[in-house]
Amino acid sequence: MITARPLARWAGAHLQALGLSLLFVTLATAILWFVTLFIPGRRQAAIASWRRDLDLRAEIRKEALQRYFVDGLADAETLAAFPTALRSLAMKATGAGRPVADSGLPAVHLEELFGDFVRIHRVLGVVLWDADGQPCVKSRDFVLEPACKASAGEVLASGTPATGFHIHAGIGPILTFSAPVRFANGDVRGAAVVAVDPNEWLYPLLEQPLAGTATGEAFLVGRDGADILFLSPLHNRPGAPLGFRRPFAASGLPARAALEGSEFVGPLVDYRGVRVLWGGRRIPPSPWALVVKIDEKEALAELQAGVRRTALAWGSLAVAFLGTTWGVWQMRGRRQAAALARSEARLRGLTEELESRVETRTAELKAANRELEAFSYSVSHDLRAPLRAVDGFSRILLEDHAKQLDTDGRRLLGVVRSSTRQMGQLIDDLLSFSRIGRQEMTRTGVDMMALAHAAFRDLLAADERVSFTVGPLPHADVDPSLMRQVWTNLISNALKFTRPKVERVIEVAGRTEPGRVVYSVKDNGVGFDMAYSNKLFGVFQRLHSSHEFEGTGVGLALVQRIVHRHGGEVWAEGKAGEGATFSFSLPRPGGSS
């Protein structure tokens, strides 16, 4: 016969064993979750954060490099269009190969012009080549090398402007901007080549340390046959410009991915064989690409330290929990409260540490924003001052010395003033673009029809006749000032590209879809080729030249950034000669479906 006491003792022992088993299963499950889910998730989040950071750094450098290359080619095209250059080539062609010095004054005058250009623009030299690839006129102190002839040969063969990197025996790496010289019948009869020292601006820009990193690096690469050619200095390979190559067929190189325009963003192996995180950009109009990268070990160092701290904290909590549970099981009563109090104190300490880290990160972010604001002010001030000087002196020349200038001189000064005004507008647009990401938003219910009508009234000139209709537009919860800028840019875009049409029509419409509201601005203007639609919303990306239509190429990029901040999307549809439709979506007010 089994008495009550042994039965209770047996039940208690089995219940205790069951409780311990459940505790250990719970602990094992927690460890498994930490290793298989928590750590990989935090790793992916850290990589995604660095990816966005490197992508932004690459975009900033790409915009500076692209403008530098565009300006360099524009200088070469300006020199190629000099009337004196055309006359010098024509005289040499009719002189049956006589030296340029025997051709008369045009060559002497052109040499002086080239010398002035070298002095003002601080370039290495300027050379005019004839159709046979022979030097016709050059700036006085520049020593010719085969590298210079290679630049001219490429332009003479293709008939299009080109950029190039070459090794000059007396100088080292040089950067060339080349443009064809065309006669009135369109024939290419020569080439103008501007040689630039990349150590003056290009290399220092790329060598600037990536703020906040020890292994961060930015460099320029190009393809040379079956190789990847490294065009700029590398932190870990002295003397690398134009002297270091890697096979293009080698897989896993950020340089190859950037040259191919690949969207793969995972870790790759750089030229040292070290795993890196990277961001890349092609740099039109050049054939080169930019790589911005950081060693994966450095990028994930903070994550690994955080994982160790988290593991220690959670381990401590688990041990404390197990110990508390065991104490409760064994001792119950008065010690239970003391153990729980210790656990709560430990948890409070961990919570306070976490809050302290959040406050520190918030302070760092605010400091970074203040630095960015200061940088924006510096850019605005430092760029506007020389522009005002150029515009002021040009106006003085036009007003006080007009009699000493011929018609072409006055026209060129007018072009200078127009260009300075355009540059001023470009600075304003870029600063607006940079502020959009930092401006605080205040959402409220907005009458979108009223915003569209107000934008049209503000933009329409007194002498313009446009058929403008606005259909029913659903309300939206948005920041009123930012959304007004969206309507202003889209309607201004429609007005600008319908001006060549006799009958101008602009239609604004809206509709409600599951989870979102959609708005569109349709016009019957010049339209665009859908093959280039991916360029519409990029900074400085224009499908039409500034001579055809005014603008800086920043307006649609502003639209995209504002809509993205509101959680929406932007897209465009069009056909060349038949108009375009620009649409954007926003989340439905209140999150309704």
Side-chain angles (χ1 to χ4, degrees):
M1 181 177 178
I2 300 177
T3 63
R5 181 173 295 180
L7 182 60
R9 200 162 38 241
W10 176 85
H14 281 74
L15 188 58
Q16 183 177 15
L18 179 60
L20 290 174
S21 299
L22 289 175
L23 286 175
F24 282 112
V25 168
T26 301
L27 180 60
T29 303
I31 294 173
L32 183 64
W33 168 82
F34 186 80
V35 173
T36 61
L37 294 177
F38 179 80
I39 294 179
R42 293 294 298 274
R43 176 186 173 88
Q44 289 302 316
I47 290 176
S49 176
W50 271 107
R51 185 182 306 145
R52 291 190 295 270
D53 180 272
L54 294 171
D55 195 58
L56 177 59
R57 294 174 191 246
E59 183 65 25
I60 292 173
R61 285 165 174 76
K62 176 223 173 180
E63 291 175 2
L65 292 172
Q66 186 175 21
R67 178 53 53 188
Y68 180 67
F69 294 147
V70 167
D71 290 345
L73 289 175
D75 288 341
E77 291 174 334
T78 299
L79 294 171
F82 276 3
T84 312
L86 297 172
R87 287 199 298 272
S88 295
L89 288 174
M91 293 180 68
K92 184 173 184 182
T94 58
R98 290 203 312 268
V100 175
D102 298 336
S103 300
L105 292 177
V108 176
H109 179 55
L110 189 60
E111 183 178 327
E112 293 177 353
L113 289 176
F114 284 174
D116 291 339
F117 184 89
V118 168
R119 184 177 65 258
I120 294 171
H121 291 269
R122 299 178 62 184
V123 299
L124 295 172
V126 179
V127 186
L128 178 66
W129 300 81
D130 65 15
D132 297 323
Q134 298 300 318
C136 182
V137 181
K138 71 177 184 67
S139 53
R140 185 168 300 168
D141 297 328
F142 185 59
V143 178
L144 290 176
E145 284 284 336
C148 306
K149 185 173 182 178
S151 302
E154 181 181 353
V155 172
L156 292 171
S158 66
T160 58
T163 55
F165 272 99
H166 309 279
I167 292 292
H168 189 287
I171 301 173
I174 64 171
L175 172 63
T176 59
F177 298 102
S178 311
V181 181
R182 297 183 184 274
F183 280 13
N185 62 0
D187 291 344
V188 176
R189 301 298 296 273
V193 178
V194 180
V196 178
D197 185 356
N199 290 292
E200 284 291 325
W201 183 86
L202 181 63
Y203 286 172
L205 171 71
L206 294 171
E207 290 182 295
Q208 287 181 358
L210 298 188
T213 72
T215 61
E217 184 177 13
F219 51 84
L220 207 60
V221 294
R223 184 166 184 178
D224 186 19
D227 292 335
I228 298 171
L229 183 60
F230 289 75
L231 305 173
S232 62
L234 301 173
H235 291 176
N236 302 285
R237 292 192 67 90
L242 307 183
F244 179 58
R245 299 169 176 265
R246 290 294 303 274
F248 189 83
S251 61
L253 293 175
R256 173 179 173 177
L259 286 168
E260 291 179 333
S262 172
E263 296 184 359
F264 177 75
V265 291
L268 296 176
V269 177
D270 75 349
Y271 57 88
R272 302 167 296 158
V274 175
R275 282 174 63 89
V276 296
L277 304 179
W278 69 285
R281 287 289 190 280
R282 294 295 301 270
I283 314 292
S286 79
W288 309 316
L290 171 72
V291 175
V292 178
K293 58 88 175 175
I294 182 176
D295 287 3
E296 183 185 59
K297 183 177 180 180
E298 179 188 359
L300 300 182
E302 185 176 350
L303 165 69
Q304 293 169 352
V307 167
R308 286 193 294 268
R309 289 193 300 267
T310 303
L312 180 61
W314 281 97
S316 300
L317 284 175
V319 171
F321 176 73
L322 288 174
T324 301
T325 305
W326 178 258
V328 169
W329 187 269
Q330 292 294 322
M331 305 181 68
R332 296 183 176 89
R334 189 173 55 186
R335 294 187 179 181
Q336 179 180 9
L340 289 175
R342 288 194 297 272
S343 298
E344 289 174 358
R346 190 183 299 273
L347 183 59
R348 280 196 301 272
L350 293 173
T351 302
E352 291 171 358
E353 180 184 357
L354 180 60
E355 291 175 350
S356 175
R357 291 179 189 172
V358 171
E359 290 176 359
T360 300
R361 291 297 179 88
T362 302
E364 292 173 352
L365 182 59
K366 289 180 179 178
N369 281 334
R370 287 194 296 270
E371 291 177 2
L372 190 56
E373 289 288 353
F375 173 74
S376 297
Y377 172 80
S378 176
V379 168
S380 174
H381 180 272
D382 293 345
L383 290 183
R384 290 181 196 278
L387 282 178
R388 286 194 296 269
V390 171
D391 185 60
F393 287 126
S394 300
R395 186 174 66 254
I396 292 172
L397 285 173
L398 285 172
E399 294 176 355
D400 298 345
H401 304 279
K403 294 181 179 180
Q404 285 79 22
L405 298 173
D406 58 13
T407 302
D408 193 46
R410 291 192 293 272
R411 180 187 65 81
L412 291 176
L413 281 176
V415 172
V416 170
R417 294 199 65 200
S418 175
S419 297
T420 57
R421 287 192 295 270
Q422 184 179 5
M423 184 62 182
Q425 183 60 49
L426 181 59
I427 292 172
D428 290 338
D429 289 348
L430 284 177
L431 290 175
S432 297
F433 184 76
S434 68
R435 293 189 188 108
I436 290 298
R438 305 189 304 275
Q439 180 176 338
E440 293 186 4
M441 293 200 311
T442 303
R443 292 178 182 263
T444 186
V446 171
D447 185 346
M448 300 294 265
M449 292 182 65
L451 278 186
H453 278 295
F456 178 74
R457 287 195 301 271
D458 292 343
L459 293 167
L460 188 67
D463 58 346
E464 285 188 294
R465 296 293 179 268
V466 181
S467 173
F468 182 75
T469 59
V470 180
L473 300 182
H475 283 48
D477 289 339
V478 295
D479 184 287
S481 63
L482 292 179
M483 194 52 54
R484 183 183 181 90
Q485 193 167 2
V486 169
W487 284 112
T488 297
N489 286 349
L490 291 180
I491 294 175
S492 172
N493 196 66
L495 286 170
K496 175 170 58 178
F497 289 108
T498 57
R499 289 197 178 104
K501 297 289 185 175
V502 176
E503 295 185 1
R504 301 165 65 188
V505 178
I506 300 175
E507 300 174 355
V508 178
R511 64 183 183 273
T512 300
E513 295 182 353
R516 69 178 188 172
V517 289
V518 179
Y519 308 92
S520 62
V521 178
K522 180 180 180 182
D523 65 69
N524 68 334
V526 298
F528 61 89
D529 189 339
M530 285 294 289
Y532 303 102
S533 60
N534 61 322
K535 295 184 176 182
L536 286 171
F537 299 99
V539 178
F540 300 133
Q541 299 292 337
R542 298 173 57 93
L543 302 187
H544 303 277
S545 71
S546 58
H547 300 294
E548 297 177 283
F549 299 97
E550 74 278 5
T552 59
V554 180
L556 290 178
L558 278 170
V559 169
Q560 184 182 62
R561 177 164 284 193
I562 292 171
V563 172
H564 282 181
R565 285 205 66 195
H566 283 82
E569 298 178 356
V570 182
W571 64 94
E573 299 171 337
K575 189 173 182 181
E578 298 184 12
T581 301
F582 287 84
S583 304
F584 66 95
S585 68
L586 298 170
R588 289 190 64 178
S592 56
S593 60

